[in-house]
């Protein structure tokens, strides 16, 4: 569990400060969580589990990724991957339940589909981190369905999916560009992914349910 992992361009040696940009840019997740917490306070959703659980996993994602990019070992990698994966899975599950009005059991088809897409793409797409395209495909499908239904959450999910595109590109280019750009581009993945998760979770903070049309302003 403590084996040293050197998986990113910025890191050239073991040590807590081996990836300063990759470490500090995890503040993006915590900043998104802070903004969402304030929005939830205005809309009275801080105690709503459908907001609170993905929000807590967003915080855990920032902490887990920080642990990985400082400790650079298998334990940190597990924390990082587990927190982000759970945040994505829970967000799309809760989204199908609340925004589409599906039962909890039926809504579980969305995270199952996300895992299936991740495994399929991770195996057959020759790009590092291709498994992350699973959430992209599932999120795009959910955004499309919500937009067809003219549900306001669709715009937020679509925005999250759109921001994910450059985010994934930066993640993919980290090592190929390493020779010309020594700090790498993984830090941009963190910056943009904080925005991706913030946009995806925002409709929970605003309490968007099936058939509702709320906004950031209190009615």
């Amino acid at each position: 569990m403590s084996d040293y992992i050197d998986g990113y361009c910025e890191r050239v040696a073991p040590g807590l400060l081996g990836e300063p940009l990759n470490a500090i840019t995890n503040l993006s997740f915590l900043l998104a969580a802070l903004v969402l917490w304030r929005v939830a306070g205005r809309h009275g959703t801080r105690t709503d589990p459908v907001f609170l659980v993905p929000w807590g996993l967003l915080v855990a994602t920032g902490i887990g990724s920080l642990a990985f990019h400082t400790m650079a070992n298998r334990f940190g990698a597990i924390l990082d991957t587990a927190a982000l994966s759970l945040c994505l899975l829970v967000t799309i599950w809760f989204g199908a339940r609340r925004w589409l009005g599906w039962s909890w059991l039926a809504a579980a088809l969305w995270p199952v589909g996300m895992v299936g897409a991740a495994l399929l793409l991770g195996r057959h797409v020759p790009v590092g981190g291709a498994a992350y395209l699973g959430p992209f495909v599932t999120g795009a499908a959910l955004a499309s369905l919500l937009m067809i239904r003219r549900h306001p959450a669709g715009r937020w999910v679509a925005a999250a999916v759109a921001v994910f595109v450059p985010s994934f590109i930066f993640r993919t280019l980290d090592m190929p560009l390493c020779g010309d750009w020594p700090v790498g581009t993984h830090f941009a993945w963190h910056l943009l992914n904080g925005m991706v998760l913030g946009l995806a979770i925002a409709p929970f903070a605003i309490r968007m349910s099936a058939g509702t049309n709320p906004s950031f302003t209190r009615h």
Side-chain angles (χ1 to χ4, degrees):
M1 296 292 282
S2 60
D3 294 342
Y4 169 59
I5 296 177
D6 181 3
Y8 300 97
C9 178
E10 188 181 18
R11 180 169 289 279
V12 294
L16 292 177
L17 300 180
E19 299 177 57
L21 274 178
N22 287 348
I24 197 170
T25 48
N26 286 296
L27 290 174
S28 172
F29 299 106
L30 302 181
L31 178 60
L34 177 61
V35 172
L36 289 173
W37 187 254
R38 296 185 65 179
V39 172
R42 293 201 301 269
H43 289 268
T45 57
R46 286 180 178 173
T47 58
D48 182 358
V50 176
F51 163 73
L52 196 58
V53 173
W55 178 86
L57 290 170
L58 172 59
V59 174
T61 298
I63 295 172
S65 186
L66 175 63
F68 179 39
H69 290 289
T70 51
M71 295 188 295
N73 59 25
R74 192 171 303 278
F75 177 70
I78 291 173
L79 288 179
D80 180 19
T81 303
L84 177 57
S85 299
L86 284 173
C87 188
L88 291 167
L89 291 169
V90 167
T91 298
I92 201 162
W93 182 27
F94 283 11
R97 166 61 179 160
R98 174 150 291 183
W99 306 329
L100 297 178
W102 290 14
S103 69
W104 287 113
L105 183 59
L109 293 174
W110 286 90
V112 170
M114 179 183 290
V115 171
L119 291 174
L120 181 65
L121 292 167
R123 177 174 297 181
H124 296 289
V125 177
V127 174
Y132 285 112
L133 292 174
F136 170 78
V137 171
T138 315
L142 178 60
S144 299
L145 184 54
L146 289 169
M147 296 287 279
I148 290 172
R149 295 189 177 193
R150 297 184 179 181
H151 192 287
R155 297 192 298 270
W156 293 92
V157 180
V161 170
V163 175
F164 179 83
V165 174
S167 177
F168 182 76
I169 291 173
F170 281 121
R171 188 189 190 284
T172 302
L173 292 178
D174 181 64
M175 294 305 291
L177 294 181
C178 195
D180 299 314
W181 188 252
V183 297
T185 58
H186 192 77
F187 71 92
W189 158 265
H190 290 162
L191 291 173
L192 293 174
N193 253 15
M195 189 182 301
V196 169
L197 294 178
L199 288 167
I201 297 171
F204 298 134
I206 308 170
R207 204 191 295 273
M208 287 186 183
S209 301
T212 63
N213 189 25
S215 68
F216 266 111
T217 58
R218 182 185 288 274
H219 297 287

